[in-house]
Amino acid sequence: MVTTWMRVLGAAGLAGSAAIHFYLYWGSGYADIPVVGPLFLVNGIAGVVIAVALLAWRHWLPAFFTLGFGGVTLLAYLLSVTVGFYGVHDQFNSQYEYWGVITEAVCVICGLVLLVQAIRARRTAQNA
């Protein structure tokens, strides 16, 4: 039961982050920024693909990708806020940034919970 909710919540986090990145790419001029613009498009596409996989495939790999997606995206954002990321310097002062951090943190938490559950299930199966 918890696994199902974590998959649904993780997929929502992935879809939310993807939506934010798609909006910023097409609606806020990020498409015109070298390197970062294409990465926003890739991030949006990857978020949708991983969300579908997380819901459809009962395997540890989508959980791993969910954790990685959230972690890498948060790391890139942290770099952009502190030292800059390929020339982009963010300031953590918009709704899109707030929601992005929230959705990506949800991805990290859900991915981690799902991976821990998968490891426990595998150990239980091996010990039985």
Side-chain angles (χ1 to χ4, degrees), residues 11-31 36-37 39-48 69 73-74 77 90 92 94-107:
L14 289 160
S17 179
I20 290 166
H21 283 88
F22 279 137
Y23 172 77
L24 291 173
Y25 180 80
W26 278 301
S28 289
Y30 275 68
V36 173
L39 288 175
F40 268 58
L41 183 59
V42 168
N43 203 311
I45 294 167
V48 171
F69 175 93
T73 305
L74 277 174
Y77 180 69
D90 288 314
F92 197 64
S94 75
Q95 291 293 322
Y96 298 107
E97 291 170 299
Y98 305 149
W99 282 109
V101 168
I102 290 168
T103 58
E104 289 142 17
V106 166
C107 292

Side-chain angles (χ1 to χ4, degrees), residues 34-108:
V35 180
V36 173
L39 288 175
F40 268 58
L41 183 59
V42 168
N43 203 311
I45 294 167
V48 171
V49 170
I50 298 167
V52 170
L54 189 63
L55 292 174
W57 187 21
R58 303 289 186 219
H59 193 269
W60 64 268
L61 205 50
F64 177 75
F65 286 140
T66 300
L67 172 62
F69 175 93
V72 169
T73 305
L74 277 174
L75 177 62
Y77 180 69
L78 178 64
L79 289 172
S80 76
V81 170
T82 55
V83 297
F85 186 72
Y86 290 104
V88 174
H89 295 274
D90 288 314
Q91 297 180 350
F92 197 64
N93 62 358
S94 75
Q95 291 293 322
Y96 298 107
E97 291 170 299
Y98 305 149
W99 282 109
V101 168
I102 290 168
T103 58
E104 289 142 17
V106 166
C107 292
V108 169

